[in-house]
Amino acid sequence: MPDVSSHLPMLRSGRWFAQLPPDFAQGLLDMARVRQLQAGEKLFLRDAAPCGLYAVVRGTIRISGHSGEGDGAREAVLVLLSPPQWFGEISVFDGSARTHDAHAAEPCTLLHVPHEELLAWLTQHPAHWRDLAVLMADKLRLAFVSMEEQTVLPAPQRLARRLLTMALSYGQATESDRTLRVLAVTQEQLALMIGVSRQTTNQILRDFKARGVLHVQRGCIELLDLQALRAECE
């Protein structure tokens, strides 16, 4: 299995890690352990105890909740996290249980910084709590933007913006990192994310496909033209 350092180029392609002070970046690498997940495998569940900070370096992690009970329970997909995203910082700050479920949407490689080791390191280097707070603040900003979009934008724009946001790793990667984007997301998951029916989502995707913006495959969507997708967001 490759060691942590082999994933450094992917980590450095992410805005948050690339901007970290060198001692904090090295501290995370020193504490990190490589973890592999198979498609569908659980990472953690809602109400689980804090287990640390994670970085996705290969594959996709699905963050979700559930509505209903028993046979009527339904998964509500919130986000799909792809490289080079970091996550799990909320429980690092408050020490409380996990807020949502996390599963591998496809085979994944993660870097795991254990909770207690990270807390001990931050106790010795308290100035770097702010650097970790920046990661959480970035996500809070995106959450507010998403809430606004749900209220004021028509469905085609919401879908285009969600696809573009996912392609750019929710603001953590730059557009120049990769030109071919394959997102491990289904039409039903997209529909849940933007709050419309599966039929409406299918119609919008077919329209985008007809204009050469994307290609829909089983279980994933390939983005063919990021510039055209960006134009759909306007």
Side-chain angles (χ1 to χ4, degrees):
M1 179 183 299
D3 62 16
V4 171
S5 62
S6 68
H7 300 293
L8 191 54
M10 176 58 74
L11 295 176
R12 285 176 173 164
S13 73
R15 181 170 55 83
W16 179 72
F17 186 86
Q19 294 176 353
L20 285 180
D23 56 338
F24 190 21
Q26 188 59 52
L28 291 174
L29 292 174
D30 291 342
M31 290 181 279
R33 302 163 189 175
V34 178
R35 181 166 179 184
Q36 307 279 1
L37 294 179
Q38 298 303 311
E41 189 174 351
K42 172 192 71 179
L43 179 61
F44 54 75
L45 297 178
R46 173 181 285 176
D47 296 328
C51 51
L53 188 67
Y54 294 90
V56 186
V57 292
R58 182 181 67 91
T60 307
I61 290 289
R62 183 177 74 250
I63 304 296
S64 63
H66 287 86
S67 61
E69 297 181 357
D71 294 338
R74 186 181 184 189
E75 183 181 34
V77 178
L78 301 180
V79 293
L80 294 169
L81 303 178
S82 56
Q85 290 176 270
W86 290 79
F87 66 100
E89 71 280 357
I90 292 177
S91 292
V92 175
F93 275 96
D94 63 12
S96 297
R98 293 297 188 186
T99 59
H100 294 88
D101 300 342
H103 291 83
E106 57 183 336
C108 288
T109 302
L110 306 171
L111 298 188
H112 176 209
V113 181
H115 184 71
E116 296 300 333
E117 289 185 40
L118 179 56
L119 289 182
W121 193 93
L122 288 168
T123 297
Q124 297 175 4
H125 308 85
H128 293 301
W129 274 107
R130 182 186 182 281
D131 298 309
L132 192 59
V134 168
L135 179 64
M136 189 162 60
D138 280 347
K139 294 177 183 176
L140 185 58
R141 287 179 181 275
L142 282 171
F144 281 132
V145 170
S146 179
M147 291 168 61
E148 180 181 6
E149 290 176 352
Q150 290 286 93
T151 303
V152 303
L153 293 182
Q157 278 184 276
R158 297 208 306 272
L159 191 147
R161 290 191 178 201
R162 178 54 65 107
L163 289 174
L164 185 62
T165 299
M166 291 169 60
L168 301 180
S169 297
Y170 293 88
Q172 289 302 312
T174 62
E175 188 170 343
S176 60
D177 288 332
R178 285 167 289 176
T179 56
L180 181 64
R181 312 283 180 170
V182 178
L183 307 177
V185 60
T186 66
Q187 294 183 42
E188 183 174 2
Q189 289 169 340
L190 270 178
L192 291 170
M193 288 180 188
I194 66 171
V196 300
S197 69
R198 189 183 186 281
Q199 291 76 14
T200 298
T201 302
N202 179 266
Q203 181 179 353
I204 297 169
L205 289 173
R206 281 193 284 110
D207 180 53
F208 287 174
K209 179 182 177 180
R211 286 183 277 146
V213 177
L214 52 77
H215 178 63
V216 180
Q217 304 178 49
R218 183 176 179 84
C220 66
I221 294 174
E222 181 182 1
L223 305 182
L224 303 175
D225 190 337
L226 284 179
Q227 287 187 337
L229 182 63
R230 190 180 294 279
E232 298 292 342
C233 297
E234 301 301 328

